[in-house]
Amino acid sequence: MNIFTRSYYTYRRALKALRLFLLAAGPGIIVMVADNDAGGITTYTVTGAKYGFHLLWFLVLLGPMAYYVQEMTVRLGAVTKRGHAEAIFSSFGLFWGWFSLLDLVLTDWLTMITEFIGMTAAMSIFHVPIALTVLFVWIIMGAMILSGRYWTWEKIALLFVVLNLIYIPAAFMVHPSIKDIAFNSLVPHLPPGGFTNDLFFLLMANIGTTIAPWMLFFQQSSVVDKGLHEKDIVFGKLDTALGSVFTVVVAMVLIIVTGMLLHGMRVESAAEAAIRVMPVSRTIGVLLAVGLFDAGLLGAICISLASSWAFGEIFGWAHSLNNKVKEAPWFYAYYFFTLILAGAVVMIPRAPLVLITLFVQVIATTLLPAALVFLILLLNDKKTMGDRVNTLWQNVINIGIVAVIIVVSTMYGVSTAFPNVFK
């Protein structure tokens, strides 16, 4: 076989692998980019304004952490053909099943509120009334889920994923020092002032917006609804890895932009950051505002489905996006119930919306260890997973992630109860 023949067959194999990847891709990229939701965008902008580039290294570490957690849901969904809620009920019984489900419902509902907060705040910059924004979002999300096909829903969601990358040009427009980022900001260190309550709060919020309970439920159910099999796991893991890269890139971009333009200013939300940037660069300010709306919409799209899938699995309802409304009435009813309820909260006068946005990330981090423990136990069940059980190194890494989250959560609790401990 000559070199041209070998090259031809190599090209054909690569092309076939690419086609298979594109068919399997979607759940990982969507869940990871949706992870940079409205609450996440607010967290990153507040972090950048307060600490500049000092926590960039921390954001880089969160990317691999999110990947190692989420790739477990790919394997679990592809092997068991069951969503995360159903897997927990089946393996751990009613008590722990309901515990995990109520955990999900609480965090999802609160997080859905933050998505609407972000979207309405973003559109308010362009003088769009809150009620009109909420109605517009209800129509978009309703139309997406009523399309009647998982593949249609996924393609639309991927369009919003691409729009989420609108932040990236802003990083080049502020002309950051590449040398400073590479040799100083990416080296682990504490920001000026050391350990403080504010630092712990933002560390918790950044973890909470990078790894959240709803992500576990969403990606596993998405893998099942899409119909991925064990042979697709390698592509599902690549899909998740690519998504985690996008997550980190967008987070770093926001830290860089706000660190360059707003460092030292008191910023409480992503919308406020966009408004403050407008006088300096209207283009960047518009990018931040449009990106915030898209982030909230993408997050709401995924989070609402995570809860609906979970309830469908537990109550035995038909719960696939491939089902028509008549075939899965309770699945769609619950979806619209959570959607309408979350949007209605945002329209309550004088609700503490900014405070809700930041505290949701902290709550998610506090409840996350329990969800991760269930996931790790499921991935170590030889009877369920067969050859797809966690390896030793996967267990070491994932148990280490749980330990870090527990330690950080505990330290934050101590700093809250005893405010002078870390000052």
Side-chain angles (χ1 to χ4, degrees), residues 34-40 108-121 133 137 141 209 214 292-301 303 342 346 357 360-361:
D35 182 31
N36 285 338
D37 58 359
D108 278 12
W109 182 65
L110 291 173
T111 309
M112 276 284 288
I113 294 172
T114 69
E115 310 305 353
F116 276 95
I117 291 171
M119 288 185 284
T120 54
T133 300
V137 171
M141 292 182 61
T209 194
W214 69 263
L292 175 59
F293 176 82
D294 177 72
L297 181 58
L298 187 57
I301 287 169
I303 293 165
V346 180
T357 300
V360 163
Q361 311 305 329

Side-chain angles (χ1 to χ4, degrees), residues 12-25 235:
R12 290 291 301 271
R13 285 194 297 269
L15 192 61
K16 181 181 179 181
L18 178 60
R19 285 199 297 264
L20 291 173
F21 169 72
L22 292 176
L23 287 173
F235 297 113

Side-chain angles (χ1 to χ4, degrees), residues 21 190 230 295 302 312:
F21 169 72
L190 289 177
E230 285 193 55
C302 295

Side-chain angles (χ1 to χ4, degrees), residues 70-88 91-92 216 220-221 223-224 228 230 233 374-381 384-385 388:
Q70 291 302 129
E71 74 85 21
M72 287 192 287
T73 67
V74 175
R75 284 185 284 136
L76 188 57
V79 171
T80 66
K81 306 297 187 296
R82 295 182 298 193
H84 198 59
E86 186 178 355
I88 292 176
S91 297
F92 301 107
L216 310 181
Q220 187 169 334
S221 294
V223 164
V224 174
L228 298 187
E230 285 193 55
I233 287 177
F374 286 131
L375 183 60
I376 292 172
L377 291 175
L378 286 168
L379 267 294
N380 280 280
D381 184 355
T384 300
M385 296 300 299
R388 299 292 183 175

